[in-house]
Amino acid sequence: MQRRILGGTGVSVSEYALGTMMLGAWGNTDHDECVRLVHRALDAGINFVDTADVYAAGESEEIVGKALKGRRDDVVLATKFFNSMGPDANHGGNSRRWIVRAVEDSLRRLGTDHIDLYQVHRPDPTTDIDETLSALSDLVRAGKVRAIGTSTFPAEQIVEAHWAAERRGHVRPRTEQPPYSMLARGAENAVLPTAQRYGMGVLTWGPLSAGWLSGRALSASSRAGLESGKFDLSVPENARKAEAVAALSEVAADAGLSLPHLATAFVRSHPAVTSVIIGPRTLDQLDSLLEGSQVTLDAEVLDRIDAIVPPGTDLNRADSYYLPPAIEDASLRRR
């Protein structure tokens, strides 16, 4: 497993990061198998593990904590906060009030005294970025957090965070974690160039585009799940994705690759990307993804991908996983 330096932190991380969203009630409920999955990833050379407090309501963090006992010092451990963790409106978001509680909860579940990378899971329009960075800076200075980052932030909010950090004397975000795949290339427009400009590490998520690029037919459960609108083929955007998947499958076959290996190699090929988060649910899925860790794509293959899904294009806008409040809330654009 090759390694790269995570932004300007000096920390060496594997080109694959193990995403753990599927460990626990959201995916694999067998804790023993989940622990074995983490161990197999570490044995294969992955030293970067990414989780979040919201994954299975903290269960994923607890499983990761069990798996890292005795191996914590060898792992760069990342987690996230923002999403609601209870019925109270203050049990989530990016306020100082919530951050100081959320980090303690994550540390307890993870069984560690520090988090290597603590990430803001989503922008919070109700909280001043100065407030959020101030709280996170205090955690870094207290030794509970080593570095901070953002996830699914639009480019303008990344710039605002760096502006606030510079002028207020806060610790600045060292990483960004955007969705990025052959079907969802919107990050190429501004997020990836902005991250490069600010010397940020980039760990991408969703290289298989929620299963569209898994190489298998989408299951009925996927189409009927919480995000069924992203799989309904009667939606024109999804029909375009299905056409693109068929064309990309031909590219993979001509290159002698599986579709998942083409997909992960594509993301890894972008010069802004430090590490690609893979999120297997089973040991077999992990093993299959690991087999593609050394795949590289030549210019001809990349050009063929560009011809199918043009650079900077999200075939379904919903795959950006973030809409600004001004778009979501009609009251903000009407008198």
Side-chain angles (χ1 to χ4, degrees):
M1 184 69 62
Q2 299 296 312
R3 289 195 180 186
R4 298 175 180 176
I5 298 300
L6 186 62
T9 66
V11 176
S12 173
V13 295
S14 49
E15 289 185 337
Y16 276 3
L18 179 66
T20 64
M21 187 177 74
M22 300 305 292
L23 305 188
W26 288 9
N28 190 335
T29 58
D30 185 335
H31 283 209
D32 290 338
E33 182 179 351
C34 290
V35 169
R36 289 195 297 272
L37 187 151
V38 174
H39 288 171
R40 186 168 298 181
L42 301 184
D43 292 341
I46 291 177
N47 78 327
F48 201 4
V49 177
D50 179 75
T51 186
D53 56 5
V54 73
Y55 296 164
E59 186 183 1
S60 172
E61 286 188 327
E62 291 174 353
I63 293 170
V64 170
K66 293 177 186 176
L68 295 186
K69 285 183 178 178
R71 305 184 72 165
R72 174 66 184 90
D73 290 344
D74 299 326
V75 172
V76 178
L77 179 59
T79 192
K80 301 181 282 293
F81 70 91
F82 162 77
N83 287 284
S84 177
M85 292 294 288
D88 191 289
N90 289 320
H91 294 171
N94 297 342
S95 68
R96 173 181 286 273
R97 186 181 191 276
W98 175 243
I99 290 169
V100 296
R101 173 175 170 180
V103 73
E104 296 296 340
D105 289 344
S106 286
L107 288 169
R108 172 178 47 80
R109 287 189 291 261
L110 291 165
T112 186
D113 63 356
H114 71 281
I115 294 164
D116 295 301
L117 177 62
Y118 200 36
Q119 301 159 100
V120 190
H121 211 156
R122 292 291 189 278
D124 179 0
T126 68
T127 306
D128 193 319
I129 189 64
D130 180 67
E131 177 82 1
T132 301
L133 292 176
S134 174
L136 291 172
S137 297
D138 286 347
L139 295 181
V140 172
R141 291 167 185 139
K144 294 181 180 182
V145 171
R146 299 294 189 255
I148 65 171
T150 56
S151 176
T152 319
F153 268 49
E156 66 272 14
Q157 294 197 36
I158 294 173
V159 173
E160 183 182 5
H162 280 270
W163 185 93
E166 179 182 346
R167 284 156 179 77
R168 303 295 187 185
H170 301 319
V171 173
R172 66 187 179 93
R174 288 293 191 172
T175 63
E176 163 58 15
Q177 186 181 141
Y180 184 41
S181 74
M182 292 191 294
L183 301 180
R185 301 183 62 174
E188 294 172 341
N189 287 312
V191 170
L192 296 183
T194 299
Q196 288 177 296
R197 181 171 297 177
Y198 283 95
M200 300 173 74
V202 173
L203 48 157
T204 64
W205 60 273
L208 302 186
S209 199
W212 280 90
L213 299 170
S214 67
R216 301 184 300 273
L218 295 175
S219 66
S221 60
S222 295
R223 293 193 296 271
L226 293 175
E227 297 185 324
S228 58
K230 294 178 181 176
F231 300 94
D232 184 351
L233 295 180
S234 68
V235 175
E237 292 86 351
N238 293 334
R240 287 199 293 270
K241 286 169 70 172
E243 293 173 0
V245 169
L248 291 167
S249 296
E250 292 184 10
V251 174
D254 291 345
L257 300 172
S258 69
L259 185 58
H261 291 173
L262 179 75
T264 51
F266 165 80
V267 174
R268 206 171 68 247
S269 69
H270 195 289
V273 174
T274 309
S275 191
V276 181
I277 297 174
I278 56 172
R281 181 176 55 84
T282 66
L283 288 164
D284 286 345
Q285 289 176 357
L286 172 63
D287 289 340
S288 177
L289 289 167
L290 288 173
E291 289 173 0
S293 64
Q294 303 303 315
V295 172
T296 59
L297 305 180
D298 60 29
E300 180 181 356
V301 171
L302 292 171
D303 287 344
R304 289 185 65 185
I305 294 171
D306 287 349
I308 296 166
V309 182
T313 302
D314 286 331
L315 294 185
N316 186 337
R317 188 177 184 184
D319 289 336
S320 70
Y321 285 85
Y322 176 77
L323 286 177
I327 300 300
E328 286 194 306
D329 186 349
S331 68
L332 297 178
R333 60 180 185 273
R334 297 174 183 168
R335 292 185 182 276

